[in-house]
Amino acid sequence: EEWGENYFLVGPYMESSVRTQVELIEPCNAALRRTIDKMNSSGCKVYFGRWLIEGSPYVILLDVGFTAWSLDRWKSELWENCSIGVPWFDREANDAILFGFLTAWLLGEYAAQCDEPPHIVAHFHEWLAGLGLVLCRQRQLPVATIFTTHATLLGRYLCAGNVDFYNNLAEFNVDKEAGDRQIYHRYCLERAAVRCTHVFTTVSQITAIEAEHLLKRKPDIVTPNGLNVKKFSAMHEFQNLHAQSKARIQEFVRGHFYGHLDFNLDKTVFLFIAGRYEFSNKGADIFLEALARLNYLLRVNHSDVTIIAFFIMPARTNNFNVETLKGQAVRKQLWDTAQTVKEHFGKKLYESLLVGQLPDVSKMLDKEDFTMMKRAIFATQRQCLPPVCSHNMLEDSSDPILNCIRRIGLFNTAQDRVKVIFHPEFLSSTSPLLPMDYEEFVRGCHLGVFPSYYEPWGYTPAECTVMGIPSISTNLSGFGCFMEEHIADPSAYGIYILDRRYCGVDESCNQLTSFLFQFCQQSRRQRIIQRNRTERLSDLLDWRYLGPMLCPLSYYVSARHMALAKAFPDTFIYEPQEPTSATGFRYPRPASVPPSPAHSLHSSPHHSEAEDEEEPYDEDLEAEKDRVNIRQPFNMPNRNKNQTVSLPEKN
């Protein structure tokens, strides 16, 4: 919306994706059309089109494989100019070299084809695209460059190796650590991009600290990630979607635990963790340990609440677990039996009423009906415990999650108040086991648990917030730090921030156990109120407030304007100014929460009769509390808090 027809995305050409996601067209920009024609006639394959996603941006796609014949020549040039050598066996790095040289070629050719000297802003993301930036500076192209690292290469590798990362950030010998992990050439490409760029940004303050020590440059601006937030116009719509999705998860649970369904599903709380299978980085280790402690607490307190914790993390499998599939088949058979008996009963009831007689209930079901129901009941008998894993794992004996479950003893027994289901595959609506998309599944759960040790931003808790689902994050994640910065008491809004930065592992685990235990003790009405509060925070993550349209201190506008002023000092000036407002951000009322002038009105159509006598809930009062507690979402980061986007052009 800000750049209009002058905004282009550059990426690698993938034929299978282009067929379904890109509409190939001729470029309207004359200089760009000449650029593509020149490159295609010089031994490249460059494609232009519209990406069929929201906004329909223009895309320029570079066929990396078509120019693979230039790889050795470009590697030699990279070594001669930058002293960076890339081994032949690293295919990903080889593709990064091809893409980087093609990107620099594209930008240089475009600048040459323009009738007047252009002012180009190029925003490069991650080390895979960084070489194009380095070449732009080395060739002195008229391009203002921005480089964003979403997670440092070395940081991810170090954390995955179970080192005490954050307490030793300043002590690492970065060259040795990168060499020990055989990623020195990748690290050099990333660090060269950071060194050469006009403006360096990261996605969170925690990653900014990491980048300063590992990449040896302090970011100029922190540019948080956002989401496209869509509000519902109908009252309680997101609450209704939660109820619908929860019912579908309950159906899966009925099948998975057939023969051992000795707990009340209406008093069952669904927790989940999802994402890349990084056992310690994503916090699956501490989550499992907290579940074991929570199980003990619920048992000694004789709680009637049951916890079912889902682990949605893709791993190597060969198929679904036979016992898991059988459970869904048994559930379906029971449903079909109940429907058949219901039809028989309904027909006899209808005939009795037709002749004007009250039915004799004892004669409504005949011997065949009882036989059918008894056979269905016998089919639910089970000799084994409900499976922990829904699939057959290829590396069962060495899988970190399964080994941890064996150690803590959470085997889904009748005595356990905490049950575990490990689903080592991404969710899909076409799955025969749990036919739900990820968004539907998240809406049906009660709490997302993401106790990550290494999480530069954290889209999973952000997605939960937008859907009105409470979540647990940490002060080592970008999302957690962002929420702590802008909300006086995040836990009051369903955002629980776990301290993993200043506490030991055992202390953090106890804190996580406390969060989970407190959440289990909430009534259904309290959870409904909390979901309303959580959903109200979604505006804080909306791109509209992180982007240029409504935010006068936009992070991204500032980054682009700062880059222009550095690249073209004779044409552009970047003038820091004091912020014009320091007042709190007034939150708009979520459309999904209706006005409640009378205390007797329920905050959701899905309520429990037993909870009607609890304290009254005034939505207007709650919204006013929010406006007091939630601080302005677009304060600039500390280093640049006095900068604005004021950018007059020199004559």
Side-chain angles (χ1 to χ4, degrees):
E1 291 179 2
E2 180 189 2
W3 291 88
E5 297 293 299
N6 291 323
Y7 179 72
F8 304 93
L9 296 172
V10 181
Y13 174 80
M14 306 284 186
E15 185 174 358
S16 58
S17 299
V18 169
R19 286 178 178 176
T20 57
Q21 300 180 35
V22 176
E23 176 192 6
L24 295 177
I25 59 175
E26 284 292 320
C28 299
N29 186 304
L32 184 58
R33 186 165 57 249
R34 292 193 297 269
T35 299
I36 293 175
D37 291 341
K38 181 71 178 295
M39 291 182 69
N40 284 336
S41 64
S42 302
C44 296
K45 267 196 175 180
V46 183
Y47 300 83
F48 183 86
R50 281 197 181 275
W51 193 1
L52 302 179
I53 59 171
E54 187 175 354
S56 300
Y58 288 131
V59 288
I60 303 169
L61 303 175
L62 309 172
D63 193 334
V64 173
F66 192 79
T67 50
W69 54 273
S70 301
L71 181 60
D72 289 339
R73 176 166 58 88
W74 285 344
K75 276 189 175 182
S76 298
E77 185 178 338
L78 178 63
W79 173 255
E80 291 169 3
N81 294 329
C82 305
S83 300
I84 298 176
V86 177
W88 63 270
F89 55 81
D90 190 343
R91 183 173 179 178
E92 196 171 27
N94 289 339
D95 287 346
I97 290 175
L98 293 170
F99 182 70
F101 271 88
L102 286 171
T103 302
W105 186 353
L106 173 75
L107 293 171
E109 190 64 47
Y110 178 77
Q113 294 292 340
C114 289
D115 298 329
E116 298 179 0
H119 298 129
I120 304 170
V121 180
H123 193 155
F124 298 81
H125 293 265
E126 298 288 57
W127 73 273
L128 285 162
L131 181 57
L133 186 155
V134 176
L135 294 172
C136 284
R137 297 305 304 277
Q138 188 257 330
R139 297 174 182 178
Q140 298 182 343
L141 299 180
V143 178
T145 57
I146 305 170
F147 183 74
T148 297
T149 179
H150 297 258
T152 69
L153 259 174
L154 189 54
R156 189 179 294 281
Y157 272 83
L158 286 169
C159 287
N162 294 321
V163 302
D164 188 1
F165 181 65
Y166 292 98
N167 288 326
N168 294 287
L169 263 177
E171 311 300 327
F172 289 119
N173 182 336
V174 291
D175 293 312
K176 179 181 182 302
E177 296 291 350
D180 289 346
R181 287 157 179 79
Q182 298 184 5
I183 58 166
Y184 186 68
H185 56 288
R186 297 184 177 199
Y187 171 75
C188 288
L189 289 172
E190 181 180 39
R191 188 163 167 182
V194 170
R195 177 71 176 175
C196 292
T197 187
H198 290 107
V199 174
F200 175 42
T201 80
T202 61
V203 295
S204 65
Q205 289 288 2
I206 194 73
T207 314
I209 297 170
E210 174 189 342
E212 185 176 0
H213 287 96
L214 299 187
L215 298 175
K216 307 304 179 184
R217 178 173 174 180
K218 189 173 183 179
D220 300 291
I221 294 178
V222 172
T223 51
N225 287 324
L227 293 166
N228 286 341
V229 178
K230 297 181 180 179
K231 293 290 187 180
F232 296 107
S233 56
M235 295 188 301
H236 301 302
E237 184 60 27
F238 85 100
Q239 296 279 14
N240 293 338
L241 289 174
H242 165 73
Q244 294 166 14
S245 296
K246 182 179 71 173
R248 295 176 64 183
I249 296 176
Q250 287 175 335
E251 280 299 292
F252 166 78
V253 169
R254 289 186 177 99
H256 191 85
F257 289 91
Y258 84 92
H260 294 270
L261 201 63
D262 51 1
F263 51 90
N264 186 352
L265 280 175
D266 286 334
K267 293 186 177 180
T268 299
V269 175
F270 298 134
L271 315 179
F272 81 98
I273 183 173
R276 188 186 295 110
Y277 194 174
E278 296 178 0
F279 184 63
S280 56
N281 278 5
K282 294 296 183 182
D285 52 351
I286 193 174
F287 184 29
L288 281 167
E289 184 62 39
L291 288 176
R293 300 181 186 187
L294 176 65
N295 187 45
Y296 172 78
L297 283 176
L298 294 175
R299 289 173 63 178
V300 298
N301 286 280
H302 305 289
S303 174
D304 60 352
V305 174
T306 300
I307 303 297
I308 296 182
F310 290 89
F311 287 74
I312 312 295
M313 291 180 161
R316 295 181 64 202
T317 66
N318 60 16
N319 216 326
F320 295 109
N321 187 308
V322 173
E323 188 63 26
T324 306
L325 287 173
K326 181 183 176 183
Q328 300 308 313
V330 169
R331 178 196 62 78
K332 188 176 186 305
Q333 181 187 4
L334 287 172
W335 174 259
D336 293 341
T337 300
Q339 294 302 308
T340 302
V341 173
K342 185 178 76 171
E343 289 178 7
H344 292 173
F345 185 93
K347 185 177 180 181
K348 292 179 181 178
L349 176 62
Y350 172 65
E351 291 174 349
S352 176
L353 294 175
L354 277 177
V355 298
Q357 295 179 357
L358 288 174
D360 185 353
V361 179
S362 62
K363 297 179 180 179
M364 286 290 103
L365 298 177
D366 55 27
K367 189 176 181 180
E368 291 182 2
D369 293 327
F370 280 103
T371 301
M372 190 185 307
M373 289 189 289
K374 287 178 181 178
R375 288 179 61 184
I377 291 173
F378 289 157
T380 64
Q381 294 180 0
R382 194 179 206 170
Q383 302 303 318
C384 61
L385 291 172
V388 168
C389 186
S390 60
H391 291 60
N392 295 321
M393 301 289 289
L394 289 180
E395 299 169 354
D396 181 284
S397 61
S398 60
D399 183 80
I401 288 179
L402 294 182
N403 279 338
C404 187
I405 289 173
R406 294 180 185 115
R407 179 178 61 81
I408 62 181
L410 286 180
F411 298 125
N412 295 341
T413 65
Q415 294 76 32
D416 289 327
R417 298 268 45 87
V418 174
K419 321 283 186 181
V420 176
I421 300 176
F422 179 25
H423 188 281
E425 193 177 66
F426 285 129
L427 296 168
S428 170
S429 58
T430 59
S431 169
L433 192 63
L434 184 55
M436 299 180 73
D437 288 329
Y438 177 72
E439 180 179 337
E440 296 174 309
F441 176 79
V442 171
R443 286 193 182 278
C445 289
H446 296 95
L447 180 70
V449 184
F450 314 104
S452 304
Y453 184 73
Y454 185 78
E455 191 72 77
W457 175 246
Y459 264 118
T460 40
E463 290 166 340
C464 285
T465 303
V466 169
M467 289 186 260
I469 303 300
S471 62
I472 295 176
S473 187
T474 75
N475 58 357
L476 289 180
S477 75
F479 172 84
C481 295
F482 185 80
M483 284 300 180
E484 279 190 322
E485 180 185 354
H486 295 110
I487 305 175
D489 182 11
S491 63
Y493 299 90
I495 308 294
Y496 300 90
I497 309 298
L498 184 67
D499 187 355
R500 295 206 64 182
R501 189 172 184 181
Y502 304 108
C503 294
V505 175
D506 188 66
E507 192 177 351
S508 296
C509 190
N510 284 334
Q511 186 184 17
L512 177 57
T513 306
S514 176
F515 285 159
L516 296 176
F517 187 64
Q518 292 172 21
F519 189 83
C520 295
Q521 292 179 311
Q522 291 183 359
S523 66
R524 181 182 295 183
R525 177 176 172 80
Q526 288 170 330
R527 291 199 301 268
I528 288 170
I529 293 172
Q530 191 174 65
R531 282 197 295 274
N532 283 335
R533 291 172 176 171
T534 303
E535 194 255 4
R536 191 176 292 119
L537 296 182
S538 59
D539 285 331
L540 201 60
L541 303 169
D542 196 333
W543 274 123
R544 292 180 303 153
Y545 299 114
L546 299 174
M549 302 308 293
L550 300 180
C551 175
L553 297 176
S554 167
Y555 310 108
Y556 292 89
V557 171
S558 294
R560 289 190 284 268
H561 288 182
M562 188 186 298
L564 282 169
K566 287 184 177 182
F568 310 107
D570 295 334
T571 308
F572 297 99
I573 302 173
Y574 185 83
E575 294 182 348
Q577 293 181 359
E578 287 291 334
T580 57
S581 172
T583 59
F585 172 52
R586 291 184 62 82
Y587 255 23
R589 289 178 58 80
S592 55
V593 181
S596 301
H599 288 176
S600 60
L601 292 182
H602 295 294
S603 58
S604 169
H606 304 280
H607 62 276
S608 172
E609 290 78 5
E611 296 156 2
D612 287 350
E613 300 303 321
E614 293 188 15
E615 71 281 355
Y617 173 56
D618 189 326
E619 181 60 37
D620 290 319
L621 182 59
E622 290 295 321
E624 186 57 37
K625 289 179 181 177
D626 291 349
R627 287 191 282 269
V628 173
N629 287 336
I630 300 170
R631 296 194 283 273
Q632 189 171 356
F634 25 76
N635 289 330
M636 296 297 290
N638 291 336
R639 186 180 179 190
N640 304 291
K641 63 184 179 181
N642 293 327
Q643 295 173 345
T644 73
V645 298
S646 174
L647 191 69
E649 235 185 278
K650 289 183 178 178
N651 294 327

